[in-house]
Amino acid sequence: MAQRIQGVLSPVVTPFTKDLSPDPGRFVRHCKWLLSHGCSGLAAFGTNSEANSLSVDERMLLLEALVQAGVAPAKLMPGTGCCSLTDSVRLTAHAVKLGCAGVLMLPPFYYKGVPEEGLYRNFAEVIERVGDARLQLYLYHIPPVSQVPITLGLIERLLKAYPAAVAGLKDSSGDWNNTKAVLDAFAKTGFDVFPGSEVFLLQGLRAGAKGCITATGNVNPGPIDHVYRNWNTAQADALQAGITATRGIMQKYPMISALKAAIAHWGRDPDWITVRPPLVELSAEQQRALVTELTAAGFDMPGLAA
Amino acid sequence: MAQRIQGVLSPVVTPFTKDLSPDPGRFVRHCKWLLSHGCSGLAAFGTNSEANSLSVDERMLLLEALVQAGVAPAKLMPGTGCCSLTDSVRLTAHAVKLGCAGVLMLPPFYYKGVPEEGLYRNFAEVIERVGDARLQLYLYHIPPVSQVPITLGLIERLLKAYPAAVAGLKDSSGDWNNTKAVLDAFAKTGFDVFPGSEVFLLQGLRAGAKGCITATGNVNPGPIDHVYRNWNTAQADALQAGITATRGIMQKYPMISALKAAIAHWGRDPDWITVRPPLVELSAEQQRALVTELTAAGFDMPGLAA
């Protein structure tokens, strides 16, 4: 089996043209910048990618553009979990066929309060239907948004039934106790856990996490990667405090729009602010305030505008 | 403009074969049974249809099968609201092109706590991109599931901008105060309100609603239609009590699975119980208990097994 991705992954924000079409050119450029500035991998088509605001075909075209542009599939962990079983199967099979290192899979998120058995069947059906030994499936636990949790009981059942395919979990619960419980229960058996924010990066690494998959990896990959590479040194806590502070500035705004505003500014490419409905871009005033505060904190995105 | 649908609409449950494929033959038969047993219209591809568990292509194929089988598009109000703008546009344009009387549109439901402006832009973009004067758009308010509400402020903005296209709302909040507020604010201007359960049918009609769009319309369309046609008579309250009691039995179980179990039993077609993950069919024990209680209450689905 190929080496699994470890380190800092970015759920890549998706650029749109002014008419709200996905823009493969800008997407490829941003992905390449991320990989050359600290990201070990790209969790494209995540929550911060507005992936669920795209059609299945739009997602597949963007992924193909990335691979065709020379981005190594071994660096890719695209999101492929949809409400529709057939959509999840189609996206997952496509990603595996392209050679992606893994897929990050949301549970079906329309129905709330569904039984664990139904969620088990969903993931089991995807694994069975894709039917490819290369599949490395990472479960995506993000109850504040999906409202449908990936419980420890579900992980246990899936790992027992599909030990080779079920590779890990992204925990975007924001609840360290949950991350710790998953780590304690499953990390030793080769189940790779990634906190969903760099705020938990150092804490996570000390408890056995393999890195993090974080929104702000889109704009601050270097310093976050620096924590990852120096977690076992005397400077680790100070480095962690730095990236936590940057995250704190970003979190004052709606995250996806703030990420795009930062890229638009430091990349000198104003159209990057565009989001698809139901999201709304930052106002001019919000953009100025964000840039001012980030600049004052010494933030930079080196090489982005080159 | 064609006559708008009024009366009892059913969010038609979607039949699957044992391998979880949509079954157009059973779908057409059930739709025809509904239209000949009390339903004035069919809100196919709603929450109870497991619509979000289907791909866009699967939804389009089922709708085409219905029209090809002779079901009048004037009776159809398919659900077309998706998380992805491009999916919503594609489904809506397809429904309008087929001549459907209207579409019932969920807001994009992945992101929570989105600004009203973002939801406005979503519906406005769909209306603009479809660009067809025949479009009759019904907003779908179902906060217990979507978690994204259609507020009075949003309705007002959309009605002001698109008075010809914005036709009404299905209120599945389960909150009569909200239904009443929408009726009071907009019903007099030709905005058609449908409570999302027959429990509110009589109350709704007395306050200006145009009927109801209800899960249990799938199994109990005759008696619900009887309330609709006799709401202004002395027997109305007694008739309402009858359909409310039947609803009460169904609601003891997960609704979609219970609807399918009733159709499987009274239609003598056991495979109808099949649901797609993340839902789970009723257990054999639950099926027996449901049928026993419904039978004791005098429930029937006349002609279904014919």
Side-chain angles (χ1 to χ4, degrees), chain A residues 67-80:
Chain A
V67 174
Q68 280 159 15
V71 171
K75 303 279 188 188
L76 300 177
M77 189 195 289
T80 62

Side-chain angles (χ1 to χ4, degrees), chain A residues 39-55:
Chain A
C39 283
S40 299
L42 303 175
F45 315 117
T47 298
N48 289 284
S49 315
E50 299 171 78
N52 291 304
S53 302
L54 302 172
S55 72

